[in-house]
Amino acid sequence: DIGNSIDEKVWRLPLHENYDKLMNSKYADVQNINYSGGAGSITAAQFLQRFIINTPWAHLDIAGMAFSKKAANLNPGGATGFGVRLLNNLIKEFYE
């Protein structure tokens, strides 16, 4: 896949109706944040899934990878640019 070809680690998140419960709200039809903790990136994707119909889509949860205080196995220190090469190669491979 494209992630492996550019050495950016990605995987499919599990989307399931059980995660919908985490977006229930007392005040609105839906809330876009999970206040019970855990599964934040999954519930974010589950939220988007409610509004995107008949269109291929992807949720890139890049906030946690955007900046790193020090270098690690998956990213350099400082601004990582994670996801930029991924999107660039996706466009190049499928849309140019």
Side-chain angles (χ1 to χ4, degrees), residues 39-75:
S41 57
I42 294 171
T43 54
Q46 191 80 23
F47 176 81
L48 292 173
Q49 179 176 259
R50 291 180 175 205
F51 301 99
I52 304 170
I53 300 169
N54 298 325
T55 302
W57 64 278
H59 172 239
L60 300 179
D61 193 37
I62 62 173
M65 294 292 294
F67 188 85
S68 178
K69 290 183 180 180
K70 59 182 183 175
N73 291 338
L74 294 178
N75 53 277

Side-chain angles (χ1 to χ4, degrees), residues 9 31 35 49 57 66-67 70 77 80 89 93-95:
K9 310 300 184 249
Q31 62 186 14
Y35 288 107
Q49 179 176 259
W57 64 278
F67 188 85
K70 59 182 183 175
T80 66
N89 282 356
E93 187 169 323
F94 295 101
Y95 299 101

